[in-house]
Amino acid sequence: MRPRLGRAGGIDRRWLASLVEAMEQAARPEVRNVPCDVSLISAAAAHLARPAPTFAHCGSVYSLRN
């Protein structure tokens, strides 16, 4: 039996294609040479400094049974 493609088969090729396209665009020299906004870097650092959610009240947000 051939594996099915698409969301039902566990693979969303459009999402993957968009991710690859965004990574290729970000890797271009003309994009990489533009300095980042300091406020964006500060916001990202603040976001990453917060503790990760535990989801202790309902178990893990991820499940192998889904």
Side-chain angles (χ1 to χ4, degrees):
M1 184 171 163
R2 252 178 98 188
R4 293 177 55 194
L5 297 178
R7 195 173 294 264
I11 299 173
D12 188 347
R13 290 183 179 241
R14 290 174 303 195
W15 177 85
L16 183 57
S18 296
L19 177 63
V20 169
E21 182 180 342
M23 292 175 71
E24 288 175 345
Q25 180 179 0
R28 291 185 4 228
E30 62 271 16
V31 173
R32 291 180 55 96
N33 291 333
V34 175
C36 287
D37 184 359
V38 175
S39 64
L40 291 176
I41 294 172
S42 297
H47 178 75
L48 293 173
R50 292 192 304 232
T54 61
F55 301 104
H57 64 282
C58 63
S60 174
V61 71
Y62 301 102
S63 173
L64 296 176
R65 295 182 195 148
N66 290 347

